[in-house]
Amino acid sequence: MDKVALTAAGLYVIVLLRAGGTFALGWLAGAGARRGRLAERISTPKFRRAERAIQRWGAPVVAVSFLTVGFQTAANFLAGSMHMPLPRYLPALFVGGAAWALAYATVGIGALQLLGRLFAEQPAIGAGAVAALLLVVGGALVYRRRRAATANGDAVPDES
């Protein structure tokens, strides 16, 4: 078995367990909400219509959510909390999880091979590429935090 297939298989098992677990936690949270203080709020006709729509049409959203960053967990939790039927959820989980595992395995292995070749042939360029990647990721994180702080009104005005 080659590296990509082995990596994809491992990632597939991980995503099935993680997303399935998130769905199960959502299911339990939804069941608890139906018996707790939120029971009145989630028994309105508008909420029931939304719940039926998610139960019926949510599977494609769950499947596509695996190709996004940051929405996958929310989609699986929501599908669980809205009690999407398993015959609709499981195919979405299997298809979306397979797409996610293949994408990450091929891109991940390819990136690691490229970096390995770069370090072997041109160590300085390889180190520069890693440093540039870390700077981009760090800059993106700082930008997002500042933007979130500004949106929340937490930003301190610049006193220059």
Side-chain angles (χ1 to χ4, degrees):
M1 189 176 245
D2 71 334
K3 290 178 191 176
V4 173
L6 188 59
T7 303
L11 289 172
Y12 189 57
V13 169
I14 290 169
V15 78
L16 291 179
L17 292 173
R18 183 175 57 88
T22 303
F23 177 84
L25 287 174
W27 190 282
L28 293 172
R34 284 169 176 76
R35 286 191 287 270
R37 286 187 241 161
L38 294 175
E40 279 184 35
R41 291 184 186 176
I42 63 174
S43 62
T44 63
K46 187 176 184 179
F47 185 86
R48 294 285 183 205
R49 277 193 308 274
E51 187 175 43
R52 282 192 304 275
I54 288 171
Q55 289 173 350
R56 184 169 183 189
W57 302 107
V61 174
V62 169
V64 171
S65 76
F66 285 93
L67 302 177
T68 67
V69 175
F71 180 62
Q72 182 184 135
T73 302
N76 283 282
F77 187 84
L78 184 60
S81 67
M82 295 290 185
H83 289 194
M84 180 185 291
L86 284 176
R88 292 187 189 271
Y89 175 74
L90 289 177
L93 171 65
F94 294 143
V95 170
W100 179 87
L102 287 172
Y104 273 78
T106 55
V107 171
I109 294 285
L112 288 175
Q113 287 176 340
L114 176 66
L115 280 175
R117 233 179 294 130
L118 205 55
F119 272 110
E121 296 170 7
Q122 300 288 329
I125 293 175
V130 169
L133 178 65
L134 290 174
L135 283 172
V136 167
V137 169
L141 289 173
V142 168
Y143 173 76
R144 287 183 68 192
R145 285 185 180 163
R146 285 187 180 172
R147 193 174 85 200
T150 302
N152 292 334
D154 298 339
V156 177
D158 189 20
E159 298 180 15
S160 46

